[in-house]
């Protein structure tokens, strides 16, 4: 009597289950690839937004500092000479003007950060995917 080899017994089961696993793994890999590409695109867009915000922040700081350093002494002297104001009043006026410009830049940075949508497409797709998976796994 010839005993059945383990290879012959496993083949009928593997033949039936192997295509299902292959289909599932191929679908899973395609899903992960598509989500990875979307995540990469949104990461690039977010990085561009972040670079713009950082550049504007640096520009605001540079403008506020250099503007103050370059114009205050001349402005103080001109205003105090032409208007007959005390030097202290001229200092206050120049300081307030530069603070106003710095405040404008800070507000534009804050506005850009609050209105930025970080990875919104990816998060929406994940919500749709969860809803679809939930509808597929519910028992009738």
């Amino acid at each position: 009597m010839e005993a059945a080899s383990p290879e012959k017994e496993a083949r009928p089961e593997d033949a039936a289950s192997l295509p299902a696993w292959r289909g599932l793994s191929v679908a899973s890999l395609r899903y992960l690839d598509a989500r990875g590409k979307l995540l990469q695109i949104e990461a690039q867009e977010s990085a561009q937004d972040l670079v713009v915000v950082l550049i504007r922040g640096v520009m605001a700081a540079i403008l506020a500092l250099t503007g103050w350093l370059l114009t205050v002494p001349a402005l103080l002297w001109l205003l105090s000479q032409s208007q007959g104001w005390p030097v202290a009043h001229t200092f206050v006026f120049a300081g307030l003007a530069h603070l106003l410009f710095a405040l404008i830049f800070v507000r534009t940075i804050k506005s850009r950060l609050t209105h930025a949508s970080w990875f919104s497409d990816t998060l929406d797709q994940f919500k749709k995917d969860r809803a679809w998976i939930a509808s597929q796994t519910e028992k009738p």
Side-chain angles (χ1 to χ4, degrees):
M1 218 177 192
E2 189 175 288
S5 69
E7 291 177 7
K8 289 182 181 177
E9 289 179 11
R11 283 186 186 165
E13 292 176 9
D14 288 344
S17 64
L18 192 59
W21 283 105
R22 279 189 185 159
L24 181 61
S25 63
V26 168
S28 298
L29 289 174
R30 286 183 182 164
Y31 171 79
L32 290 174
D33 183 50
R35 293 302 171 253
K37 287 179 182 177
L38 181 61
L39 187 65
Q40 182 181 14
I41 290 169
E42 288 191 334
Q44 289 173 347
E45 290 173 356
S46 296
Q48 289 172 351
D49 288 341
L50 187 61
V51 166
V52 168
V53 167
L54 288 174
I55 288 172
R56 287 185 181 193
V58 168
M59 288 300 296
I62 289 171
L63 287 172
L65 182 63
T66 58
W68 184 80
L69 290 174
L70 294 173
T71 60
V72 167
L75 184 66
L76 288 174
W77 185 79
L78 286 173
L79 285 175
S80 64
Q81 292 297 320
S82 67
Q83 300 296 322
W85 293 346
V87 176
H89 291 147
T90 311
F91 267 106
V92 170
F93 175 74
L96 290 175
H98 285 96
L99 286 175
L100 177 67
F101 286 119
L103 181 65
I104 291 169
F105 275 102
V106 168
R107 285 192 177 248
T108 60
I109 291 169
K110 184 180 176 184
S111 173
R112 186 155 180 111
L113 285 175
T114 57
H115 294 307
S117 57
W118 304 94
F119 301 100
S120 61
D121 292 336
T122 298
L123 295 175
D124 288 341
Q125 283 299 322
F126 282 142
K127 286 178 187 175
K128 290 178 184 176
D129 294 341
R130 280 193 298 264
W132 180 82
I133 290 171
S135 70
Q136 297 299 314
T137 57
E138 291 177 359
K139 294 181 181 179

